[in-house]
Amino acid sequence: MEVPFRHIRNDFPILQEKVYGKELIYLDNAATTQKPKVVVEAIEQGYYKTNANIHRGVHYLSMRATEAHESARACVARFLNASDPAEIVFTRGTTEAINLVASSFGEAFCNEGDVILCSEMEHHSNIVPWQLLCQRKKLQLKVIPILDNGDLDRQALRAMLTSEVRLLAITHVSNVLGTINPVKEIIRLAHEHNIAVLIDGAQAVPHVKVDVLDLDADFYAFSGHKMYGPAGIGVLYGKRKWLDQMPPYQGGGEMIAQVHFSGSTWNELPYKFEAGTPDFIGSTALAKAIEYVEHLDMDAIARYETDLMHYATDALLQLGDVRIFGTSVHKSAVISFQLGNIHPFDVGTLLDRMGLALRTGHHCAQPLMDRFGIEGTIRASFAVYNVPEEVDVLITALKRIRTMF
Ligand code: PMP
């Protein structure tokens, strides 16, 4: 297969590292991706040259740090095709973004007896915040089932879009099955019933082009660290019409207009949702990561990663006793599997000793494991810097492991 991105491996120094004296083969990209030099250098330069608290200072460094942070926001807005940078709220990551919506949207728009919908393939961070909201406001959380191949059950979805539903929270791409949900169509259907939709984009943004206006998403969340950026910074995109009506999520500096003991008023968007000092170095480094993937071209990344995923799927299936979970035709670069009857943890531990970093376990999707009646899987997840030779090493390693049992 063609490998258009082989040259970029030099941008990621960690890929030259050895583990236990073996070449590192990093196939745990759905957990977090490695960072290109431009991102690490942006963090270093930020602290060396422009470190000062933002928004509050009139001095030179503070103004430069503020400019960098706000231009990062504009960069994210452009990347997601949001109509206004004020609709981009910086958070710590996807988890915090979803908690923000569950808390604030829930406070403003949900009442006893209302329903929140999610799906069977959600990550815990798109389940538990809704469970907490449901407990707090006496709502019901209903779950859209999936089919055996890992596709969402669209018939069930249609039947569940009723007038009691206030919000549908669904992942764009499953971190276990790789399924790419038809979110544009899902949002259109939900909107026919005046249901707001939150998309968990944690596994989509690094792999497919996202256009929030075209999707007509009400909320879209993602994490910097899964898309070649730093940990500790993420994004909530929210339509102004919702964000304007939602109460603040946290109180503190910067989110206020006026504070008096007689009462306080809130800052304009997006600052109303950004209490305290944000990760202004992280935002700048995230913008570098965005520029990096834009330069490679998101469509070319998606094509290559799909080819690599098919290459790996074919090779795994040739082993004979591999069971793959998630066989949708609309699939991103994640493969969850089991090898014979060998416990995934044993496979993962032995792979580690051979230099291969794969994830094993429930992948923060225990309800999905329940759905398939399993405890866990081994997961290979790919990024743009992975190459077919790494898949070949994985297959050889799995063959070796098989002989040990
Ligand atoms: N949603 C999905 C689909 C994920 O894969 C993850 C991370 N594994 C999250 C949400 C949570 O992301 P974070 O831990 O960066 O907040």
Side-chain angles (χ1 to χ4, degrees):
M1 64 176 284
E2 217 191 311
V3 185
F5 296 115
R6 196 178 291 279
H7 61 286
I8 69 161
R9 290 179 66 82
N10 292 329
D11 296 340
F12 296 83
I14 203 168
L15 298 178
Q16 270 83 57
E17 286 294 303
K18 297 230 180 322
V19 292
Y20 312 113
K22 312 256 172 19
E23 306 281 335
L24 167 68
I25 294 188
Y26 187 77
L27 298 177
D28 193 16
N29 296 287
T32 199
T33 58
Q34 300 304 342
K35 321 301 169 200
K37 282 186 218 157
V38 282
V39 167
V40 180
E41 283 163 9
I43 297 168
E44 191 184 68
Q45 291 304 306
Y47 282 116
Y48 282 160
K49 294 202 187 280
T50 52
N51 180 47
N53 207 332
I54 57 167
H55 295 311
R56 279 154 242 178
V58 289
H59 60 80
Y60 176 82
L61 272 191
S62 175
M63 287 189 285
R64 283 200 57 195
T66 305
E67 262 167 42
H69 184 64
E70 291 307 324
S71 75
R73 194 190 307 279
C75 172
V76 174
R78 186 180 39 73
F79 181 57
L80 293 181
N81 195 30
S83 42
D84 182 354
E87 294 177 317
I88 301 298
V89 178
F90 283 119
T91 64
R92 284 192 296 123
T94 308
T95 303
E96 190 178 50
I98 297 173
N99 275 279
L100 189 163
V101 177
S103 173
S104 291
F105 181 93
E107 188 56 39
F109 297 108
C110 298
N111 294 305
E112 186 168 347
D114 287 347
V115 171
I116 303 289
L117 283 183
C118 72
S119 89
E120 224 168 8
M121 69 174 93
E122 298 311 312
H123 186 279
H124 294 165
S125 60
N126 202 21
I127 299 174
V128 183
W130 306 112
Q131 288 180 324
L132 291 170
L133 170 67
C134 288
Q135 276 170 19
R136 185 159 60 85
K137 296 208 82 177
K138 299 195 172 64
L139 318 180
Q140 240 190 309
L141 182 63
K142 291 194 180 166
V143 184
I144 308 159
I146 61 165
L147 305 174
D148 287 343
N149 71 348
D151 276 337
L152 192 74
D153 184 339
R154 289 205 225 178
Q155 240 180 318
L157 163 73
R158 281 171 194 270
M160 293 173 84
L161 296 172
T162 61
S163 60
E164 297 84 56
V165 181
R166 294 281 83 80
L167 183 136
L168 163 61
I170 189 158
T171 195
H172 194 163
V173 171
S174 160
N175 66 315
V176 179
L177 307 166
T179 310
I180 305 175
N181 280 316
V183 285
K184 186 172 174 177
E185 152 147 26
I186 293 171
I187 292 169
R188 188 181 58 73
L189 287 172
H191 284 174
E192 281 174 11
H193 296 79
N194 294 321
I195 298 167
V197 183
L198 174 139
I199 305 292
D200 171 352
Q203 297 296 341
V205 164
H207 306 290
V208 297
K209 205 176 195 153
V210 172
D211 180 331
V212 289
L213 279 191
D214 180 55
L215 294 178
D216 201 20
D218 297 287
F219 302 100
Y220 197 101
F222 76 92
S223 300
H225 71 97
K226 291 185 197 283
M227 64 147 299
Y228 312 103
I233 186 92
V235 169
L236 170 69
Y237 159 80
K239 276 186 186 164
R240 181 182 273 280
K241 73 163 183 182
W242 296 118
L243 295 180
D244 267 340
Q245 297 179 73
M246 285 158 51
Y249 173 52
Q250 293 180 326
E254 200 54 41
M255 50 73 69
I256 46 85
Q258 293 279 329
V259 177
H260 302 286
F261 283 119
S262 55
S264 302
T265 52
W266 317 136
N267 203 342
E268 61 192 20
L269 291 180
Y271 311 110
K272 180 172 85 171
F273 293 107
E274 293 182 354
T277 301
D279 186 354
F280 52 87
I281 302 280
S283 59
T284 315
L286 172 61
K288 284 285 176 216
I290 289 174
E291 285 164 15
Y292 185 83
V293 292
E294 282 182 329
H295 178 69
L296 297 181
D297 184 70
M298 283 311 298
D299 290 331
I301 291 174
R303 275 196 303 277
Y304 172 62
E305 289 179 345
T306 306
D307 285 352
L308 190 59
M309 188 261 296
H310 287 310
Y311 178 87
T313 304
D314 291 347
L316 281 167
L317 289 175
Q318 274 174 25
L319 286 175
D321 53 354
V322 163
R323 180 177 172 203
I324 293 181
F325 298 86
T327 52
S328 171
V329 287
H330 305 290
K331 197 175 158 174
S332 177
V334 175
I335 308 177
S336 283
F337 63 96
Q338 288 181 342
L339 179 67
N341 293 325
I342 312 172
H343 197 285
F345 183 78
D346 293 335
V347 180
T349 308
L350 289 165
L351 286 174
D352 169 56
R353 288 283 151 176
M354 299 178 199
L356 288 123
L358 277 80
R359 181 131 311 214
T360 62
H362 55 59
H363 315 295
C364 295
Q366 277 184 322
L368 185 61
M369 300 297 117
D370 294 344
R371 159 67 176 78
F372 284 103
I374 56 176
E375 269 178 48
T377 72
I378 311 147
R379 182 184 72 185
S381 53
F382 302 94
V384 64
Y385 43 66
N386 288 123
V387 289
E389 293 86 328
E390 293 177 305
V391 174
D392 300 341
V393 176
L394 169 65
I395 299 296
T396 307
L398 290 172
K399 283 182 182 161
R400 237 183 99 194
I401 290 169
R402 206 164 46 177
T403 64
M404 297 176 188
F405 284 83

